[in-house]
């Protein structure tokens, strides 16, 4: 096995290279190797200084996240990186960390235990631990304020956002930006400092008191606003504050206490599940990583409405020239005006330069004809959610598109096989379900039809990453993964208001659970008319005699479509701020009375259980049917597409955390109260619960297959 840490010498400079692909994580053996190499340099009389550098594409990207589960389960002892880093800091010869790619988490902590840091202009450094529900656990909250000052340290440790090289230099984290050959630049820097007293970060206290005490409370207030329900950012702030009150070693002890509190929390387990899940969903059994993919250089989008416009921007943002076609000039102009407004808003907020906006607009060709479609490598249909309209469009583009052009539909629920049947090339047809607003939401549901070719699937999954999306592969059924599950979720929300809960109670209960917004608020955002149109396409499949939601159809008939009409389940002011609508409350009571539904007090707990377990039960069915490959695919779909709190890991991970036996017992109660059809527990859920297993164990079997 190659050395994880290699020791070489260039004349009077020792070079220590960490070589632990793919990201040089501080896996077992790496800290030990670092310590040994530092000792070797100390003992080598010819060595005047030491350079620490990463092999491959990056410096050290942090502790090995895969180890945390073993520590929590007791399989491995707690993290003890501190002594290794201290041996770097106590080296008798100056140590220079040479950073390229990223120095994150334990990687930045290692670099800060060195005496100096030189950095490539494209490198980034950060303490992203809070994104995993953790905080820096190897002195980061104690060294960073000493190098960069309290305010910068608070910002970096509490948000987890990395900083670029220039920012790191300005803040005092880096000592020099090295253009060109990083190693040679670092060696030159090492020769400049050789023989001089090397500053130990832990002794540099001058910046520790550069901020007023209230800065910590302000940081806490910001953290609570930014990460509703999150514990780790507050722990990170406590740890940085400890640096200003305690000597270094005591501060590190306080940091370790806070780190372990976070490590053993359910939030950290959930966020680490989501971290690896976001990567696991790209592994498709039967479609190996080296599957041939099509070269996507030109795109075309049909439809310049909300979705078509957002999809067009997504391609332009990725630097891909894109045609956007409408059927009428007025609709095309409206679509382009929205695109320009969206870009202008980003420029106004400082998120985008004017040049970048102009470049992206220059990549977009608005038109009313199919001119140029014959050169497109992918055509994305984003027209009205109606099967007949979609089939007509696919028949048209089938006649125009070149043979190896991918034909994608942005349908949110309709049958991809039926759409493909309108073409002579079903193997080139695939679903690309974007989420509104398409240029913002990260999730892309890639829906495979029966005939979708492996190369088409592989291309779509790879293209998603290029578009800045997280792609989840779904099988073809009504609603695929996301909307198939959102149907019972919304059904229960509507039943609850018919049974006595107010619209606000239902929305607030799920908001407090951690959802980005309540179910009825989401319905008002997506549009009650959109839900109505989808429902029309599928009501023929509904089982007669089974209770159905009653109010949404009445809201639709009244023209109350939600935010877009200023009223739906709630009323909306000009800034789309919702408020209670007594008319709707009266409508709900009247509807319930006419249906003989007895009104009662409904608790928040029942509200959350019925909505969330409706998701879980349907998710279990999707797993059984193979529509979702793994439970984690469902979790990622809900985190990135429906605002499910990542710190609960997604609906299936949440069910595992609650315990499937408890979830099943709850669902069985609902089955008794509301009837078997709506609440019969999914057989897979019953099987796993009775075997004392989890959805995650179900995944492990799948993962073994996917990696073979
Ligand atoms: N540990 C283990 N595996 C990791 C890893 C890590 N830190 N980072 C990445 N991987 C795996 C990843 O799962 C994937 O595996 C492969 O590497 C490529 O990753 C003590 C407690 C560095 C910006 O949070 O942000 O240090 O799917 O696809 O897009 O105080 O990876 O191929 O099998 O993401 O080029 C803090 C997390 C840890 C950094 C590269 N560090 N990583 O992005 O590649 S906690 C982090 C990233 C800590 C200390 C604390 C990104 C990246 P596979 P990738 P990428």
């Amino acid at each position: 096995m190659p050395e994880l840490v290699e020791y070489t010498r260039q004349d009077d400079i020792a070079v220590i290279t960490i070589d632990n692909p793919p990201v040089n994580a501080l896996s077992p053996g790496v800290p030990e190797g670092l310590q040994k190499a530092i000792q070797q340099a100390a003992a080598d009389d010819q060595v005047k200084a030491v350079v620490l550098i990463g092999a491959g594409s990056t410096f050290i990207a942090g502790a090995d996240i895969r180890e945390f589960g073993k520590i929590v389960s007791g399989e491995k002892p707690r993290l003890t990186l501190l002594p290794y880093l201290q041996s770097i800091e106590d080296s008798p010869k100056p140590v220079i960390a040479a950073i390229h790619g990223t120095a994150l988490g334990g990687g930045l902590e290692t670099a800060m235990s060195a005496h100096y840091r030189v950095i490539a202009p494209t490198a980034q450094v950060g303490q992203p631990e809070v994104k995993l529900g953790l905080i820096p656990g190897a002195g980061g909250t104690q060294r960073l304020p000493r190098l960069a000052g309290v305010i910068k340290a608070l910002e970096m440790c509490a948000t987890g956002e990395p900083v670029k090289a220039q920012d790191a230099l300005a803040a005092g984290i880096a000592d020099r930006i090295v253009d060109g050959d990083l190693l040679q630049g670092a060696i030159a820097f090492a020769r400049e400092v050789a023989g001089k007293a090397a500053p130990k970060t832990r002794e540099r206290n001058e910046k520790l008191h550069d901020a007023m005490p209230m800065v910590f409370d302000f940081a806490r207030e910001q953290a609570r606003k930014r990460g509703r329900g999150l514990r780790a950012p507050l722990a990170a702030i406590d740890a940085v504050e400890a640096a200003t009150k305690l000597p270094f070693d005591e501060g590190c002890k306080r940091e370790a206490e806070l780190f372990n509190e976070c490590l053993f929390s359910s939030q950290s387990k959930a966020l680490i599940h989501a971290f690896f899940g976001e990567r696991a969903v790209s592994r498709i059994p039967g479609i190996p990583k080296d599957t041939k993919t099509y070269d996507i250089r030109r795109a075309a989008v049909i439809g310049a409405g909300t979705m078509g416009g957002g999809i067009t921007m997504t391609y332009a943002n990725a630097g891909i020239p894109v045609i956007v076609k409408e059927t009428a000039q007025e609709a095309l102009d409206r679509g382009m005006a929205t695109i320009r407004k969206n870009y202008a808003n980003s420029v106004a907020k400082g998120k985008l330069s004017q040049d970048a906006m102009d470049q992206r607009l220059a990549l977009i060709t608005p038109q009313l004809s199919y001119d140029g479609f014959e050169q497109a490598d992918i055509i994305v249909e984003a027209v009205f959610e109606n099967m007949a309209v979609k089939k007509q469009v696919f028949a048209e583009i089938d006649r125009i598109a070149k043979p190896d052009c991918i034909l994608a539909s942005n349908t949110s629920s309709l049958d991809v096989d039926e759409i493909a049947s309108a073409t002579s090339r079903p193997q080139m047809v695939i679903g690309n379900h974007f989420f509104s607003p398409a240029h913002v939401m990260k999730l892309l549901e890639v829906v495979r039809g029966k005939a979708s070719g492996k190369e088409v699937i592989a291309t779509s999954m790879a293209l998603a990453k290029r578009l800045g999306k997280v792609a989840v592969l779904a099988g073809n059924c009504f609603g695929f993964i996301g909307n198939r599950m959102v149907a019972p979720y919304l059904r229960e929300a509507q039943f609850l208001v018919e049974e006595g809960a107010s619209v606000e109670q239902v929305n607030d209960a799920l908001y407090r659970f951690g959802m980005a917004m309540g179910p009825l608020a989401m319905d008002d955002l997506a549009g009650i008319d959109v839900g109505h149109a989808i429902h029309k396409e599928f009501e023929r499949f509904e089982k007669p005699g089974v209770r159905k939601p009653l109010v949404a159809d009445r809201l639709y008939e009244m023209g109350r479509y939600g935010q877009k009409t200023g009223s739906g389940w709630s009323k909306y002011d000009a800034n789309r701020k919702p408020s209670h609508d007594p008319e709707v409350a009266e409508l709900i009571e009247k509807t319930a009375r006419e249906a003989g539904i007895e009104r009662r007090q409904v608790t928040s707990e029942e509200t959350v259980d019925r909505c969330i377990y409706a998701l879980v039960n349907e998710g279990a069915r999707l797993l059984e049917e193979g529509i979702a490959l793994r439970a984690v695919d469902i979790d990622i779909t809900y985190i990135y597409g429906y605002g499910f709190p990542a710190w609960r890991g997604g609906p299936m991970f949440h069910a595992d955390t609650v315990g499937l036996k408890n979830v099943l017992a709850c669902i069985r109660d609902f089955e008794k109260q509301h009837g078997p059809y709506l609440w019969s527990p999914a057989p897979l859920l019953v099987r796993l619960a009775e075997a004392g297993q989890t959805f995650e164990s179900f995944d492990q079997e799948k993962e073994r297959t996917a990696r073979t």
Side-chain angles (χ1 to χ4, degrees):
M1 185 165 125
E3 283 292 296
L4 291 171
V5 178
E6 190 191 22
Y7 179 92
T8 55
R9 183 161 52 77
Q10 288 200 22
D11 303 324
D12 56 350
I13 305 297
V15 178
I16 299 175
T17 306
I18 300 104
D19 188 4
N20 182 24
V23 294
N24 292 327
L26 291 167
S27 310
V30 174
E32 296 80 355
L34 277 174
Q35 189 172 53
K36 187 166 148 256
I38 288 287
Q39 288 158 354
Q40 202 171 338
D44 185 337
D45 294 343
Q46 295 189 58
V47 168
K48 301 284 178 289
V50 183
V51 167
L52 202 49
I53 194 163
S57 62
T58 182
F59 188 67
I60 301 168
D64 189 331
I65 304 171
R66 289 166 303 186
E67 295 296 303
F68 295 136
K70 298 170 192 164
I71 297 171
V72 171
S73 66
E75 183 190 334
K76 286 251 176 135
R78 293 190 176 189
L79 205 59
T80 53
L81 288 174
L82 267 175
Y84 298 105
L85 304 194
Q86 197 127 328
S87 60
I88 295 171
E89 197 166 44
D90 292 343
S91 157
K93 299 170 185 175
V95 179
I96 295 88
I99 300 168
H100 70 302
T102 56
L104 297 174
L108 179 54
E109 290 169 307
T110 302
M112 292 193 292
S113 64
H115 305 99
Y116 303 96
R117 286 146 296 280
V118 298
I119 187 168
T122 53
Q124 296 197 9
V125 300
Q127 301 284 180
E129 289 86 341
V130 290
K131 295 181 179 178
L132 300 169
L134 300 170
I135 69 168
T141 61
Q142 309 302 303
R143 287 195 169 90
L144 194 54
R146 284 176 167 82
L147 284 181
V150 170
I151 292 178
K152 192 68 179 173
L154 280 172
E155 178 197 311
M156 290 176 68
C157 294
T159 67
E161 291 308 316
V163 299
K164 293 187 168 65
Q166 278 300 350
D167 196 349
L169 181 71
I173 299 168
D175 299 286
R176 179 178 294 175
I177 289 183
V178 170
D179 285 309
D181 185 312
L182 177 65
L183 177 58
Q184 292 316 313
I187 288 172
F189 185 96
R191 289 206 171 96
E192 288 172 33
V193 299
K196 293 176 187 157
K200 291 183 179 180
T201 307
R202 70 169 184 270
E203 293 168 0
R204 295 171 59 169
N205 299 322
E206 63 278 7
K207 287 189 178 180
L208 273 184
H209 301 287
D210 67 353
M212 306 288 284
M214 71 274 284
V215 75
F216 299 105
D217 290 337
F218 179 69
R220 290 184 180 100
E221 192 187 308
Q222 293 295 93
R224 287 194 186 94
K225 275 192 202 132
R226 206 178 30 245
R228 196 160 45 92
L230 287 178
R231 168 82 190 99
L234 299 172
I237 294 165
D238 291 348
V240 172
E241 184 174 28
T244 65
K245 297 190 167 162
L246 301 168
F248 181 79
D249 292 342
E250 294 305 306
C252 285
K253 284 200 185 88
R254 181 65 186 130
E255 177 192 76
E257 287 163 11
L258 292 160
F259 172 80
N260 284 314
E261 269 174 39
C262 292
L263 178 62
F264 286 84
S265 72
S266 60
Q267 288 192 5
S268 175
K269 294 186 195 89
L271 287 165
I272 290 173
H273 167 75
F275 172 85
F276 286 120
E278 185 184 328
R279 291 151 179 85
V281 296
S282 62
R283 289 192 281 273
I284 314 295
I287 302 185
K289 264 190 178 169
D290 59 1
T291 300
K292 173 188 166 299
T293 55
Y294 294 94
D295 188 8
I296 304 294
R297 284 154 308 155
R298 291 177 173 284
V301 175
I302 302 173
T306 308
M307 292 311 293
I311 296 166
T312 300
M313 290 178 69
T314 301
Y315 276 89
N317 295 348
I320 300 172
V322 52
I323 295 171
V324 55
K325 175 191 176 294
E326 257 296 352
T327 49
Q329 191 62 48
E330 191 265 337
L332 187 63
D333 295 345
R334 198 168 52 244
M336 284 308 296
T338 304
I339 289 173
R340 283 193 193 89
K341 180 167 67 64
N342 287 338
Y343 280 135
N345 287 345
S346 299
V347 170
K349 288 178 193 158
K351 289 183 180 172
L352 192 67
S353 69
Q354 186 59 52
D355 279 354
M357 171 175 166
D358 297 342
Q359 281 160 23
R360 292 178 188 189
L361 282 171
L363 288 170
I364 299 172
T365 307
Q367 61 188 54
L368 298 177
S369 73
Y370 277 122
D371 292 352
F373 272 60
E374 71 287 349
Q375 290 171 19
D377 301 302
I378 185 167
I379 299 172
V380 186
E381 166 272 315
V383 301
F384 187 60
E385 198 64 359
N386 170 284
M387 183 55 82
V389 175
K390 289 185 185 301
K391 289 175 78 170
Q392 182 196 332
V393 165
F394 270 78
E396 288 167 2
I397 57 180
D398 184 39
R399 288 192 290 275
I400 298 163
K402 60 183 183 162
D404 60 350
C405 173
I406 293 176
L407 308 182
S409 170
N410 171 55
T411 179
S412 67
S413 305
L414 303 185
D415 185 338
V416 170
D417 290 334
E418 189 174 347
I419 291 171
S421 72
T423 74
S424 61
R425 59 175 95 182
Q427 74 284 1
M428 297 304 291
V429 176
I430 195 157
N432 269 194
H433 175 211
F434 289 84
F435 285 74
S436 183
H439 59 292
V440 174
M441 294 297 280
K442 279 192 82 170
L443 181 69
L444 176 65
E445 261 186 321
V446 175
V447 185
R448 65 189 307 173
K450 270 200 292 290
S452 297
K454 286 188 177 183
E455 295 82 2
V456 172
I457 295 168
T459 303
S460 208
M461 297 298 284
L463 177 60
K465 194 159 183 173
R466 203 171 142 202
L467 297 175
K469 302 295 178 188
V470 175
V472 173
L473 186 65
N476 180 37
C477 71
F478 156 55
F480 319 132
I481 296 173
N483 282 346
R484 162 89 177 260
M485 290 168 61
V486 92
Y489 174 74
L490 284 175
R491 176 198 77 205
E492 287 307 306
Q494 296 180 49
F495 283 168
L496 285 157
V497 292
E498 290 170 12
E499 293 168 30
S502 71
V503 168
E504 291 71 32
Q505 272 177 302
V506 171
N507 280 337
D508 292 349
L510 274 302
Y511 181 78
R512 283 197 306 277
F513 171 81
M515 299 300 288
M517 62 176 70
L520 301 174
M522 180 180 74
D523 204 20
D524 276 345
L525 174 66
I528 292 172
D529 54 327
V530 173
H532 183 83
I534 292 173
H535 187 227
K536 279 289 158 228
E537 289 282 342
F538 287 94
E539 63 186 351
R540 61 184 186 278
F541 299 129
E542 279 178 348
K543 194 174 168 71
V546 174
R547 182 186 175 192
K548 285 190 296 187
L550 303 166
V551 179
D553 284 348
R554 298 198 176 185
L555 292 174
Y556 176 76
E557 285 148 20
M558 294 160 69
R560 297 175 68 107
Y561 298 163
Q563 287 193 18
K564 64 178 81 168
T565 58
S567 65
W569 292 100
S570 303
K571 262 193 307 198
Y572 295 89
D573 67 14
N575 301 318
R576 300 200 162 202
K577 189 173 176 315
S579 61
H580 172 74
D581 188 331
E583 269 182 49
V584 173
E586 198 185 314
L587 171 69
I588 292 169
E589 281 173 30
K590 179 169 175 290
T591 306
R593 204 170 38 251
E594 288 164 1
I597 296 169
E598 205 176 307
R599 308 270 293 165
R600 62 185 172 83
Q601 281 299 320
V602 179
T603 64
S604 296
E605 188 191 3
E606 177 187 356
T607 301
V608 169
D609 288 349
R610 278 178 58 182
C611 291
I612 297 300
Y613 295 160
L615 284 180
V616 173
N617 204 30
E618 201 62 32
R621 291 200 183 100
L622 287 170
L623 282 173
E624 279 170 308
E625 296 167 24
I627 298 293
L629 287 171
R630 298 156 287 240
V632 74
D633 292 59
I634 295 171
D635 289 334
I636 295 302
T637 297
Y638 263 75
I639 290 168
Y640 285 117
Y642 294 81
F644 196 96
W647 54 266
R648 290 188 190 271
M652 311 313 271
F653 188 87
H654 171 68
D656 282 347
T657 305
V658 169
L660 296 191
K661 276 195 169 58
N662 301 325
V663 174
L664 179 58
C666 222
I667 287 177
R668 286 224 156 103
D669 277 350
F670 295 151
E671 185 183 28
K672 285 194 198 93
Q673 294 167 42
H674 304 285
Y677 178 74
L678 295 173
W679 279 105
S680 57
L684 175 66
L685 172 61
V686 175
R687 197 163 79 242
L688 291 173
E690 289 175 352
Q693 288 176 342
T694 59
F695 287 118
E696 199 157 22
S697 60
F698 176 82
D699 277 0
Q700 268 132 27
E701 189 41 47
K702 289 275 183 175
E703 190 64 4
R704 271 191 283 279
T705 318
R707 283 186 182 274
T708 49

